[in-house]
Amino acid sequence: AAPAAYWVAVLPPLFWSGNFLIARLIRDDIPPIQMSFWRWLLAFLILLPFIWRPTRRDWTRIQRQLPFLALLGAVGV
């Protein structure tokens, strides 16, 4: 259990720092809005296999909460 906890603690900062480094490297080649689009698309595609079944199973509950979820998405980082 301990090695898994270390990975959970170490991976997010590695992903964030890698994100900043890649963004800095390509900032002159890709417009910011396009960079943001590809970042979010890649994150979505990585997470999709993990969220597909739970989302389908709970879709009616999710639909009832869509306005609140949209608000959270609009004000979140």
Side-chain angles (χ1 to χ4, degrees), residues 40-73:
W40 280 106
L41 181 65
L42 180 63
F44 174 74
L45 291 175
I46 289 170
L47 292 174
L48 187 61
F50 302 102
I51 65 166
W52 181 254
R53 280 190 180 148
T55 301
R56 282 190 55 181
R57 182 187 63 227
D58 297 331
W59 182 244
T60 54
R61 279 182 35 196
I62 293 169
Q63 278 183 314
R64 283 184 269 143
Q65 299 296 326
L66 274 179
F68 181 64
L69 293 171
L71 175 67
L72 289 176

Side-chain angles (χ1 to χ4, degrees), residues 11-32:
L11 285 178
L14 287 176
F15 289 145
W16 291 326
S17 61
N19 186 24
F20 288 125
L21 289 173
I22 291 171
R24 187 172 289 221
L25 287 172
I26 62 174
R27 70 176 178 230
D28 295 329
D29 300 325
I30 298 177

